[in-house]
Amino acid sequence: MPSDRLQRFHDRLALPLIAAPMFLVSGVELMVASCRNGVIGSFPTANCRSTEQLDAWFTEIGTRLRRHEDQTGRKVAPLCPNLIVHRSNARLAEDLAVLLRHGPEVVITSVGSPAQVLRPLHDAGALVLADVASIRHAERAAEAGADGLVLLTAGAGGQTGWLNPFAFVRAVRIFYDGIIVLAGGISDGYALHAAEVLGCDLAYMGTKFIATQESMADDRYKRMLVESSADDVLLTTAFTGLQTSMLRPSIVAAGLDPDDLPARGAIDIVKDIDIAARENRPKRWRDIWSAGHSASGVTEVLAVDDLVARTRAEYREAGPDHS
């Protein structure tokens, strides 16, 4: 660890792990804590209200991580912005310009082909990892020249994939020798080791990072994760039009019946609650929360330092050769 495909980060990763980019959850504090603990910290650029704020985030995170390196003598893991490349992202060009100014070492692209941003990001020296949820999407991203593929598999939180991770990884390894990142159900160091054995170079861990002291998630969200299990994760198209893993208790708290939700993509700002509470209607992501199947592994709210230390111990126990 890490694999030969990640040699440029050989002495900077404590684990072959990415703190997954999570909407309204991944922020400055989580990024700083992840990277200084040797975990690649990723965040959606959409978490910033403007390109000016995105620029400010890069500056603050970079300053704090450089200070940490100066004070401790220990190198930090890369910071990895997540860029939505779908045509609906009106800020794509502006956010890309900010990324290029700051020169991130790794970038994740989501919701579409990475082709349109590959050249400028490669020219800036970045590795580009593309989210994919099907074999065909993986083939297209590989053909476009992506350095890595993030395989969204069954069990990932938020907008998720549907393929079994064992089948998906092995099918992609037949035609692709680049970096593979497994997204979906990684709850501890044992699962992380298993992902490597399967043929992955890295894995996402998302749900457990939601329930950290440094995440931007509402404290009620964190407590709900601690009290929930995988049985409380509902796969539904009601909130985004795409298959999305959401927490049943948060749907109930919003005044909705998780077993009788409206049609595909019908809920944006939830409409079927008391009209008298119109101005305070719950919204997806802000009030109706997502989680992956690894929710069963969330038993307490931890500091990132403690979560990474625990995961490292599990990882070493799972594979005695992991140093």
Side-chain angles (χ1 to χ4, degrees):
M1 192 290 301
S3 78
D4 291 343
R5 289 175 286 268
L6 294 168
Q7 278 305 306
R8 68 168 75 179
F9 306 132
H10 178 73
D11 59 347
R12 297 168 58 190
L13 298 184
L15 289 165
L17 190 64
I18 298 174
M22 295 174 286
F23 187 51
L24 302 184
V25 170
S26 306
V28 170
E29 297 302 325
L30 184 54
M31 294 303 94
V32 171
S34 299
C35 293
R36 65 176 170 75
N37 274 286
V39 171
I40 296 172
S42 67
F43 70 98
T45 61
N47 278 358
C48 298
R49 294 186 301 274
S50 64
T51 53
E52 291 77 17
Q53 185 179 42
L54 178 61
D55 185 75
W57 276 28
F58 269 111
T59 299
E60 180 179 353
I61 295 168
T63 298
R64 290 173 62 179
L65 290 177
R66 285 190 294 273
R67 184 184 304 130
H68 176 78
E69 287 186 330
D70 291 343
Q71 292 173 347
T72 66
R74 295 194 299 270
K75 294 182 179 180
V76 300
L79 178 67
C80 176
N82 172 211
L83 192 61
I84 302 299
V85 294
H86 191 266
R87 61 180 178 277
S88 62
N89 181 7
R91 272 176 36 189
L92 175 57
E94 292 79 4
D95 283 2
L96 177 61
V98 173
L99 266 58
L100 296 176
R101 284 201 301 274
H102 287 274
E105 298 168 277
V106 189
V107 174
I108 297 166
T109 64
S110 297
V111 198
S113 170
Q116 61 184 313
V117 298
L118 275 172
R119 180 182 291 276
L121 287 171
H122 279 163
D123 287 348
L127 288 175
V128 180
L129 312 178
D131 272 357
V132 294
S134 70
I135 301 297
R136 183 61 189 136
H137 289 156
E139 290 172 340
R140 289 175 176 173
E143 291 165 1
D147 302 291
L149 303 176
V150 180
L151 307 189
L152 301 177
T153 71
Q159 292 184 342
T160 184
W162 54 87
L163 288 174
N164 175 284
F166 292 95
F168 200 0
V169 172
R170 298 315 304 163
V172 171
R173 269 290 174 236
I174 291 172
F175 63 85
Y176 187 68
D177 63 358
I179 298 165
I180 287 183
V181 185
L182 178 61
I186 301 296
S187 62
D188 55 29
Y190 303 100
L192 183 58
H193 170 72
E196 281 193 309
V197 172
L198 191 58
C200 300
D201 302 282
L202 297 163
Y204 270 10
M205 181 179 283
T207 300
K208 292 189 82 169
F209 276 99
I210 299 172
T212 58
Q213 295 170 9
E214 293 87 348
S215 92
M216 296 193 302
D218 188 296
D219 285 342
R220 296 170 300 157
Y221 188 0
K222 297 177 186 182
R223 288 196 300 272
M224 186 176 289
L225 276 172
V226 171
E227 295 165 359
S228 298
S229 74
D231 286 347
D232 294 303
V233 177
L234 174 69
L235 187 64
T236 177
T237 61
F239 299 97
T240 69
L242 299 174
Q243 295 280 7
T244 308
S245 297
M246 307 298 275
L247 276 172
R248 281 178 172 270
S250 70
I251 297 171
V252 172
L256 297 170
D257 181 354
D259 295 316
D260 187 26
L261 290 171
R264 180 182 177 92
I267 300 176
D268 185 355
I269 297 175
V270 178
K271 298 178 176 63
D272 52 349
I273 62 174
D274 189 352
I275 295 176
R278 184 184 300 274
E279 295 307 316
N280 293 310
R281 291 181 300 185
K283 297 181 179 179
R284 60 183 180 179
W285 311 121
R286 188 194 69 184
D287 303 297
I288 300 173
W289 299 316
S290 69
H293 290 178
S294 55
S296 286
V298 181
T299 58
E300 58 185 313
V301 176
L302 296 171
V304 169
D305 289 6
D306 296 328
L307 173 59
V308 174
R310 182 175 298 181
T311 306
R312 289 187 70 183
E314 295 161 346
Y315 181 70
R316 287 194 294 267
E317 185 172 310
D321 56 324
H322 298 317
S323 58

